[in-house]
Structures are given as structure tokens and as C-alpha cells.
mmCIF file of all heavy atoms in Angstrom:
data_model
loop_
_atom_site.group_PDB
_atom_site.id
_atom_site.type_symbol
_atom_site.label_atom_id
_atom_site.label_comp_id
_atom_site.label_asym_id
_atom_site.label_seq_id
_atom_site.Cartn_x
_atom_site.Cartn_y
_atom_site.Cartn_z
ATOM 1 N N PHE Z 1 16.072 11.615 5.878
ATOM 2 C CA PHE Z 1 16.233 10.407 6.693
ATOM 3 C C PHE Z 1 17.398 10.556 7.665
ATOM 4 O O PHE Z 1 17.336 10.083 8.810
ATOM 5 C CB PHE Z 1 16.429 9.188 5.798
ATOM 6 C CG PHE Z 1 15.162 8.645 5.218
ATOM 7 C CD1 PHE Z 1 14.937 8.681 3.848
ATOM 8 C CD2 PHE Z 1 14.176 8.103 6.031
ATOM 9 C CE1 PHE Z 1 13.761 8.183 3.304
ATOM 10 C CE2 PHE Z 1 12.988 7.608 5.502
ATOM 11 C CZ PHE Z 1 12.785 7.647 4.135
ATOM 12 N N THR Z 2 18.457 11.216 7.234
ATOM 13 C CA THR Z 2 19.600 11.442 8.106
ATOM 14 C C THR Z 2 19.231 12.339 9.279
ATOM 15 O O THR Z 2 19.536 12.035 10.440
ATOM 16 C CB THR Z 2 20.768 12.067 7.321
ATOM 17 O OG1 THR Z 2 21.143 11.193 6.245
ATOM 18 C CG2 THR Z 2 21.966 12.291 8.216
ATOM 19 N N LEU Z 3 18.541 13.441 8.994
ATOM 20 C CA LEU Z 3 18.153 14.375 10.050
ATOM 21 C C LEU Z 3 17.143 13.754 11.017
ATOM 22 O O LEU Z 3 17.259 13.916 12.238
ATOM 23 C CB LEU Z 3 17.565 15.644 9.431
ATOM 24 C CG LEU Z 3 18.533 16.524 8.627
ATOM 25 C CD1 LEU Z 3 17.787 17.692 8.009
ATOM 26 C CD2 LEU Z 3 19.668 17.023 9.507
ATOM 27 N N ALA Z 4 16.157 13.042 10.486
ATOM 28 C CA ALA Z 4 15.138 12.432 11.344
ATOM 29 C C ALA Z 4 15.755 11.403 12.283
ATOM 30 O O ALA Z 4 15.295 11.231 13.422
ATOM 31 C CB ALA Z 4 14.056 11.777 10.485
ATOM 32 N N GLY Z 5 16.801 10.737 11.833
ATOM 33 C CA GLY Z 5 17.453 9.727 12.660
ATOM 34 C C GLY Z 5 18.213 10.284 13.844
ATOM 35 O O GLY Z 5 18.567 9.541 14.768
ATOM 36 N N LYS Z 6 18.444 11.582 13.860
ATOM 37 C CA LYS Z 6 19.181 12.197 14.964
ATOM 38 C C LYS Z 6 18.346 12.296 16.235
ATOM 39 O O LYS Z 6 18.885 12.440 17.340
ATOM 40 C CB LYS Z 6 19.685 13.585 14.554
ATOM 41 C CG LYS Z 6 20.749 13.541 13.450
ATOM 42 C CD LYS Z 6 21.260 14.925 13.117
ATOM 43 C CE LYS Z 6 22.298 14.882 12.005
ATOM 44 N NZ LYS Z 6 23.492 14.089 12.376
ATOM 45 N N THR Z 7 17.020 12.227 16.110
ATOM 46 C CA THR Z 7 16.135 12.333 17.272
ATOM 47 C C THR Z 7 15.187 11.148 17.371
ATOM 48 O O THR Z 7 14.130 11.249 17.976
ATOM 49 C CB THR Z 7 15.324 13.636 17.200
ATOM 50 O OG1 THR Z 7 14.576 13.664 15.972
ATOM 51 C CG2 THR Z 7 16.235 14.849 17.277
ATOM 52 N N SER Z 8 15.552 10.022 16.762
ATOM 53 C CA SER Z 8 14.683 8.854 16.706
ATOM 54 C C SER Z 8 15.499 7.586 16.939
ATOM 55 O O SER Z 8 16.699 7.553 16.636
ATOM 56 C CB SER Z 8 13.995 8.791 15.332
ATOM 57 O OG SER Z 8 13.351 7.546 15.141
ATOM 58 N N PRO Z 9 14.868 6.534 17.460
ATOM 59 C CA PRO Z 9 15.558 5.244 17.557
ATOM 60 C C PRO Z 9 15.766 4.600 16.188
ATOM 61 O O PRO Z 9 16.481 3.609 16.066
ATOM 62 C CB PRO Z 9 14.624 4.399 18.430
ATOM 63 C CG PRO Z 9 13.276 5.017 18.251
ATOM 64 C CD PRO Z 9 13.533 6.495 18.087
ATOM 65 N N LEU Z 10 15.130 5.169 15.174
ATOM 66 C CA LEU Z 10 15.336 4.720 13.801
ATOM 67 C C LEU Z 10 16.428 5.571 13.175
ATOM 68 O O LEU Z 10 16.423 6.795 13.322
ATOM 69 C CB LEU Z 10 14.048 4.848 12.994
ATOM 70 C CG LEU Z 10 12.818 4.135 13.554
ATOM 71 C CD1 LEU Z 10 11.597 4.438 12.703
ATOM 72 C CD2 LEU Z 10 13.053 2.635 13.638
ATOM 73 N N ARG Z 11 17.349 4.949 12.455
ATOM 74 C CA ARG Z 11 18.420 5.735 11.845
ATOM 75 C C ARG Z 11 18.824 5.154 10.509
ATOM 76 O O ARG Z 11 18.762 3.939 10.285
ATOM 77 C CB ARG Z 11 19.629 5.820 12.767
ATOM 78 C CG ARG Z 11 20.276 4.500 13.112
ATOM 79 C CD ARG Z 11 21.330 4.680 14.190
ATOM 80 N NE ARG Z 11 22.008 3.413 14.471
ATOM 81 C CZ ARG Z 11 23.278 3.168 14.204
ATOM 82 N NH1 ARG Z 11 24.024 4.090 13.637
ATOM 83 N NH2 ARG Z 11 23.826 1.996 14.490
ATOM 84 N N LEU Z 12 19.229 6.040 9.632
ATOM 85 C CA LEU Z 12 19.711 5.644 8.313
ATOM 86 C C LEU Z 12 21.133 5.117 8.438
ATOM 87 O O LEU Z 12 22.015 5.815 8.931
ATOM 88 C CB LEU Z 12 19.677 6.852 7.375
ATOM 89 C CG LEU Z 12 20.156 6.625 5.942
ATOM 90 C CD1 LEU Z 12 19.152 5.775 5.169
ATOM 91 C CD2 LEU Z 12 20.358 7.961 5.226
ATOM 92 N N VAL Z 13 21.360 3.873 7.992
ATOM 93 C CA VAL Z 13 22.699 3.285 8.093
ATOM 94 C C VAL Z 13 23.323 3.002 6.726
ATOM 95 O O VAL Z 13 24.509 2.682 6.656
ATOM 96 C CB VAL Z 13 22.680 1.986 8.933
ATOM 97 C CG1 VAL Z 13 22.307 2.291 10.376
ATOM 98 C CG2 VAL Z 13 21.729 0.954 8.341
ATOM 99 N N ASP Z 14 22.542 3.137 5.666
ATOM 100 C CA ASP Z 14 23.101 2.934 4.330
ATOM 101 C C ASP Z 14 22.249 3.677 3.320
ATOM 102 O O ASP Z 14 21.019 3.690 3.418
ATOM 103 C CB ASP Z 14 23.158 1.438 3.980
ATOM 104 C CG ASP Z 14 23.849 1.170 2.644
ATOM 105 O OD1 ASP Z 14 24.815 1.899 2.320
ATOM 106 O OD2 ASP Z 14 23.438 0.248 1.924
ATOM 107 N N TRP Z 15 22.919 4.303 2.352
ATOM 108 C CA TRP Z 15 22.230 5.003 1.257
ATOM 109 C C TRP Z 15 23.073 4.863 0.011
ATOM 110 O O TRP Z 15 24.264 5.174 0.018
ATOM 111 C CB TRP Z 15 22.040 6.478 1.594
ATOM 112 C CG TRP Z 15 21.304 7.248 0.536
ATOM 113 C CD1 TRP Z 15 21.820 7.771 -0.618
ATOM 114 C CD2 TRP Z 15 19.907 7.561 0.528
ATOM 115 N NE1 TRP Z 15 20.837 8.402 -1.344
ATOM 116 C CE2 TRP Z 15 19.655 8.283 -0.662
ATOM 117 C CE3 TRP Z 15 18.867 7.307 1.411
ATOM 118 C CZ2 TRP Z 15 18.388 8.751 -0.983
ATOM 119 C CZ3 TRP Z 15 17.602 7.769 1.085
ATOM 120 C CH2 TRP Z 15 17.372 8.484 -0.091
ATOM 121 N N GLN Z 16 22.466 4.379 -1.066
ATOM 122 C CA GLN Z 16 23.198 4.183 -2.315
ATOM 123 C C GLN Z 16 22.380 4.733 -3.481
ATOM 124 O O GLN Z 16 21.155 4.640 -3.485
ATOM 125 C CB GLN Z 16 23.488 2.699 -2.554
ATOM 126 C CG GLN Z 16 24.327 2.044 -1.469
ATOM 127 C CD GLN Z 16 24.593 0.587 -1.763
ATOM 128 O OE1 GLN Z 16 24.945 0.205 -2.888
ATOM 129 N NE2 GLN Z 16 24.436 -0.249 -0.742
ATOM 130 N N GLU Z 17 23.082 5.292 -4.456
ATOM 131 C CA GLU Z 17 22.473 5.791 -5.682
ATOM 132 C C GLU Z 17 23.335 5.379 -6.873
ATOM 133 O O GLU Z 17 24.456 4.904 -6.704
ATOM 134 C CB GLU Z 17 22.384 7.316 -5.655
ATOM 135 C CG GLU Z 17 21.572 7.910 -4.537
ATOM 136 C CD GLU Z 17 21.691 9.423 -4.507
ATOM 137 O OE1 GLU Z 17 21.930 10.035 -5.579
ATOM 138 O OE2 GLU Z 17 21.587 10.006 -3.411
ATOM 139 N N GLY Z 18 22.796 5.574 -8.085
ATOM 140 C CA GLY Z 18 23.597 5.387 -9.283
ATOM 141 C C GLY Z 18 23.309 4.115 -10.045
ATOM 142 O O GLY Z 18 22.461 3.300 -9.667
ATOM 143 N N ARG Z 19 24.045 3.947 -11.113
ATOM 144 C CA ARG Z 19 23.819 2.829 -12.029
ATOM 145 C C ARG Z 19 24.136 1.469 -11.412
ATOM 146 O O ARG Z 19 23.683 0.436 -11.902
ATOM 147 C CB ARG Z 19 24.648 3.024 -13.304
ATOM 148 C CG ARG Z 19 24.171 4.196 -14.154
ATOM 149 C CD ARG Z 19 24.955 4.319 -15.447
ATOM 150 N NE ARG Z 19 24.420 5.375 -16.290
ATOM 151 C CZ ARG Z 19 23.417 5.205 -17.141
ATOM 152 N NH1 ARG Z 19 22.859 4.014 -17.258
ATOM 153 N NH2 ARG Z 19 22.984 6.217 -17.873
ATOM 154 N N GLY Z 20 24.927 1.482 -10.341
ATOM 155 C CA GLY Z 20 25.228 0.221 -9.672
ATOM 156 C C GLY Z 20 24.003 -0.439 -9.080
ATOM 157 O O GLY Z 20 24.025 -1.643 -8.779
ATOM 158 N N LEU Z 21 22.921 0.321 -8.922
ATOM 159 C CA LEU Z 21 21.669 -0.231 -8.404
ATOM 160 C C LEU Z 21 20.866 -0.961 -9.472
ATOM 161 O O LEU Z 21 19.992 -1.764 -9.155
ATOM 162 C CB LEU Z 21 20.797 0.886 -7.827
ATOM 163 C CG LEU Z 21 21.392 1.791 -6.755
ATOM 164 C CD1 LEU Z 21 20.336 2.798 -6.296
ATOM 165 C CD2 LEU Z 21 21.892 0.992 -5.576
ATOM 166 N N PHE Z 22 21.134 -0.660 -10.728
ATOM 167 C CA PHE Z 22 20.281 -1.128 -11.808
ATOM 168 C C PHE Z 22 20.362 -2.647 -11.970
ATOM 169 O O PHE Z 22 21.435 -3.244 -11.888
ATOM 170 C CB PHE Z 22 20.652 -0.463 -13.128
ATOM 171 C CG PHE Z 22 20.386 1.016 -13.180
ATOM 172 C CD1 PHE Z 22 20.705 1.750 -14.306
ATOM 173 C CD2 PHE Z 22 19.819 1.676 -12.104
ATOM 174 C CE1 PHE Z 22 20.464 3.114 -14.360
ATOM 175 C CE2 PHE Z 22 19.557 3.038 -12.141
ATOM 176 C CZ PHE Z 22 19.893 3.757 -13.283
ATOM 177 N N ASP Z 23 19.212 -3.235 -12.221
ATOM 178 C CA ASP Z 23 19.114 -4.667 -12.455
ATOM 179 C C ASP Z 23 17.923 -4.897 -13.382
ATOM 180 O O ASP Z 23 17.329 -3.941 -13.890
ATOM 181 C CB ASP Z 23 18.933 -5.411 -11.132
ATOM 182 C CG ASP Z 23 19.495 -6.823 -11.158
ATOM 183 O OD1 ASP Z 23 19.744 -7.351 -12.261
ATOM 184 O OD2 ASP Z 23 19.685 -7.404 -10.075
ATOM 185 N N SER Z 24 17.565 -6.151 -13.590
ATOM 186 C CA SER Z 24 16.418 -6.468 -14.438
ATOM 187 C C SER Z 24 15.826 -7.798 -14.000
ATOM 188 O O SER Z 24 16.430 -8.544 -13.230
ATOM 189 C CB SER Z 24 16.829 -6.528 -15.910
ATOM 190 O OG SER Z 24 17.775 -7.562 -16.123
ATOM 191 N N VAL Z 25 14.641 -8.075 -14.497
ATOM 192 C CA VAL Z 25 13.965 -9.325 -14.181
ATOM 193 C C VAL Z 25 13.237 -9.816 -15.429
ATOM 194 O O VAL Z 25 12.690 -9.021 -16.197
ATOM 195 C CB VAL Z 25 12.972 -9.127 -13.009
ATOM 196 C CG1 VAL Z 25 11.912 -8.086 -13.349
ATOM 197 C CG2 VAL Z 25 12.331 -10.435 -12.616
ATOM 198 N N VAL Z 26 13.267 -11.105 -15.658
ATOM 199 C CA VAL Z 26 12.584 -11.699 -16.808
ATOM 200 C C VAL Z 26 11.228 -12.205 -16.366
ATOM 201 O O VAL Z 26 11.111 -12.954 -15.389
ATOM 202 C CB VAL Z 26 13.413 -12.852 -17.406
ATOM 203 C CG1 VAL Z 26 12.638 -13.525 -18.546
ATOM 204 C CG2 VAL Z 26 14.756 -12.336 -17.901
ATOM 205 N N ILE Z 27 10.193 -11.785 -17.092
ATOM 206 C CA ILE Z 27 8.817 -12.153 -16.765
ATOM 207 C C ILE Z 27 8.207 -12.916 -17.936
ATOM 208 O O ILE Z 27 8.289 -12.473 -19.079
ATOM 209 C CB ILE Z 27 7.988 -10.894 -16.461
ATOM 210 C CG1 ILE Z 27 8.575 -10.173 -15.239
ATOM 211 C CG2 ILE Z 27 6.525 -11.255 -16.215
ATOM 212 C CD1 ILE Z 27 7.906 -8.860 -14.943
ATOM 213 N N ALA Z 28 7.618 -14.033 -17.631
ATOM 214 C CA ALA Z 28 6.956 -14.838 -18.663
ATOM 215 C C ALA Z 28 5.510 -14.396 -18.811
ATOM 216 O O ALA Z 28 4.813 -14.139 -17.832
ATOM 217 C CB ALA Z 28 7.013 -16.312 -18.299
ATOM 218 N N ASN Z 29 5.054 -14.262 -20.058
ATOM 219 C CA ASN Z 29 3.659 -13.937 -20.317
ATOM 220 C C ASN Z 29 3.177 -14.736 -21.527
ATOM 221 O O ASN Z 29 3.889 -15.614 -22.019
ATOM 222 C CB ASN Z 29 3.476 -12.432 -20.536
ATOM 223 C CG ASN Z 29 4.391 -11.906 -21.633
ATOM 224 O OD1 ASN Z 29 4.643 -12.586 -22.632
ATOM 225 N ND2 ASN Z 29 4.888 -10.687 -21.458
ATOM 226 N N THR Z 30 1.977 -14.438 -21.983
ATOM 227 C CA THR Z 30 1.397 -15.210 -23.087
ATOM 228 C C THR Z 30 2.176 -15.059 -24.384
ATOM 229 O O THR Z 30 2.063 -15.875 -25.287
ATOM 230 C CB THR Z 30 -0.060 -14.775 -23.313
ATOM 231 O OG1 THR Z 30 -0.100 -13.366 -23.553
ATOM 232 C CG2 THR Z 30 -0.919 -15.108 -22.108
ATOM 233 N N GLU Z 31 2.969 -13.994 -24.473
ATOM 234 C CA GLU Z 31 3.747 -13.746 -25.684
ATOM 235 C C GLU Z 31 5.182 -14.270 -25.575
ATOM 236 O O GLU Z 31 5.977 -14.102 -26.483
ATOM 237 C CB GLU Z 31 3.772 -12.243 -25.974
ATOM 238 C CG GLU Z 31 2.375 -11.657 -26.194
ATOM 239 C CD GLU Z 31 2.431 -10.159 -26.401
ATOM 240 O OE1 GLU Z 31 3.541 -9.579 -26.277
ATOM 241 O OE2 GLU Z 31 1.369 -9.567 -26.687
ATOM 242 N N GLY Z 32 5.481 -14.876 -24.439
ATOM 243 C CA GLY Z 32 6.830 -15.396 -24.224
ATOM 244 C C GLY Z 32 7.470 -14.752 -23.017
ATOM 245 O O GLY Z 32 6.798 -14.465 -22.022
ATOM 246 N N ALA Z 33 8.766 -14.510 -23.093
ATOM 247 C CA ALA Z 33 9.497 -13.916 -21.979
ATOM 248 C C ALA Z 33 9.815 -12.456 -22.286
ATOM 249 O O ALA Z 33 10.126 -12.094 -23.412
ATOM 250 C CB ALA Z 33 10.777 -14.689 -21.714
ATOM 251 N N LYS Z 34 9.726 -11.636 -21.247
ATOM 252 C CA LYS Z 34 10.002 -10.211 -21.396
ATOM 253 C C LYS Z 34 10.907 -9.763 -20.255
ATOM 254 O O LYS Z 34 10.672 -10.113 -19.093
ATOM 255 C CB LYS Z 34 8.698 -9.414 -21.373
ATOM 256 C CG LYS Z 34 8.869 -7.911 -21.546
ATOM 257 C CD LYS Z 34 7.519 -7.212 -21.546
ATOM 258 C CE LYS Z 34 7.670 -5.712 -21.766
ATOM 259 N NZ LYS Z 34 6.355 -5.015 -21.763
ATOM 260 N N ARG Z 35 11.948 -9.019 -20.575
ATOM 261 C CA ARG Z 35 12.854 -8.501 -19.547
ATOM 262 C C ARG Z 35 12.451 -7.067 -19.187
ATOM 263 O O ARG Z 35 12.345 -6.206 -20.043
ATOM 264 C CB ARG Z 35 14.295 -8.529 -20.039
ATOM 265 C CG ARG Z 35 15.312 -8.082 -18.978
ATOM 266 C CD ARG Z 35 16.735 -8.241 -19.471
ATOM 267 N NE ARG Z 35 17.091 -9.619 -19.690
ATOM 268 C CZ ARG Z 35 17.529 -10.443 -18.739
ATOM 269 N NH1 ARG Z 35 17.651 -9.991 -17.490
ATOM 270 N NH2 ARG Z 35 17.836 -11.695 -19.017
ATOM 271 N N LEU Z 36 12.232 -6.845 -17.892
ATOM 272 C CA LEU Z 36 11.855 -5.526 -17.392
ATOM 273 C C LEU Z 36 12.986 -4.955 -16.544
ATOM 274 O O LEU Z 36 13.629 -5.676 -15.779
ATOM 275 C CB LEU Z 36 10.586 -5.611 -16.541
ATOM 276 C CG LEU Z 36 9.301 -6.059 -17.244
ATOM 277 C CD1 LEU Z 36 8.156 -6.101 -16.235
ATOM 278 C CD2 LEU Z 36 8.964 -5.138 -18.393
ATOM 279 N N PRO Z 37 13.226 -3.658 -16.648
ATOM 280 C CA PRO Z 37 14.282 -3.034 -15.839
ATOM 281 C C PRO Z 37 13.828 -2.835 -14.396
ATOM 282 O O PRO Z 37 12.646 -2.627 -14.122
ATOM 283 C CB PRO Z 37 14.499 -1.693 -16.534
ATOM 284 C CG PRO Z 37 13.168 -1.381 -17.147
ATOM 285 C CD PRO Z 37 12.587 -2.706 -17.577
ATOM 286 N N VAL Z 38 14.770 -2.910 -13.489
ATOM 287 C CA VAL Z 38 14.568 -2.547 -12.087
ATOM 288 C C VAL Z 38 15.596 -1.459 -11.804
ATOM 289 O O VAL Z 38 16.788 -1.737 -11.659
ATOM 290 C CB VAL Z 38 14.764 -3.748 -11.146
ATOM 291 C CG1 VAL Z 38 14.655 -3.317 -9.688
ATOM 292 C CG2 VAL Z 38 13.748 -4.838 -11.457
ATOM 293 N N ARG Z 39 15.151 -0.206 -11.755
ATOM 294 C CA ARG Z 39 16.068 0.925 -11.659
ATOM 295 C C ARG Z 39 15.606 1.917 -10.596
ATOM 296 O O ARG Z 39 15.028 2.967 -10.904
ATOM 297 C CB ARG Z 39 16.194 1.631 -13.013
ATOM 298 C CG ARG Z 39 16.809 0.733 -14.091
ATOM 299 C CD ARG Z 39 17.038 1.496 -15.373
ATOM 300 N NE ARG Z 39 17.733 0.671 -16.360
ATOM 301 C CZ ARG Z 39 18.115 1.098 -17.556
ATOM 302 N NH1 ARG Z 39 17.856 2.344 -17.918
ATOM 303 N NH2 ARG Z 39 18.738 0.285 -18.384
#
């Protein structure tokens, strides 16, 4: 993405990795509530 942005009007302005990205979401179903990871 960095290299492609050097010759395009589109450019990479932010890139993040690691555990700081991790989150979760609670989903309700017939068995109750379930927490799923978003990683």
C-alpha cells in the first residue's frame, strides 16, 4: 500500500497492528448472549 501510493492519488496515511486493535462484540441469539472477538 505504501509503494502503490507513490504513483497514485490514493495513499496510505495510517497503519496499525498489534493487540491494541483487539476488541469484542456481544451478540444475542436463541441461547442467550455470546461475546465474539474482533481481532
Side-chain angles (χ1 to χ4, degrees):
F1 280 115
T2 301
L3 293 177
K6 293 182 181 299
T7 58
S8 169
L10 304 176
R11 61 188 183 113
L12 180 71
V13 295
D14 185 36
W15 182 278
Q16 300 181 45
E17 300 173 28
R19 292 183 176 274
L21 305 182
F22 293 178
D23 209 344
S24 62
V25 60
V26 176
I27 298 175
N29 54 36
T30 56
E31 300 177 355
K34 181 179 182 180
R35 184 175 295 276
L36 296 179
V38 176
R39 296 185 175 183

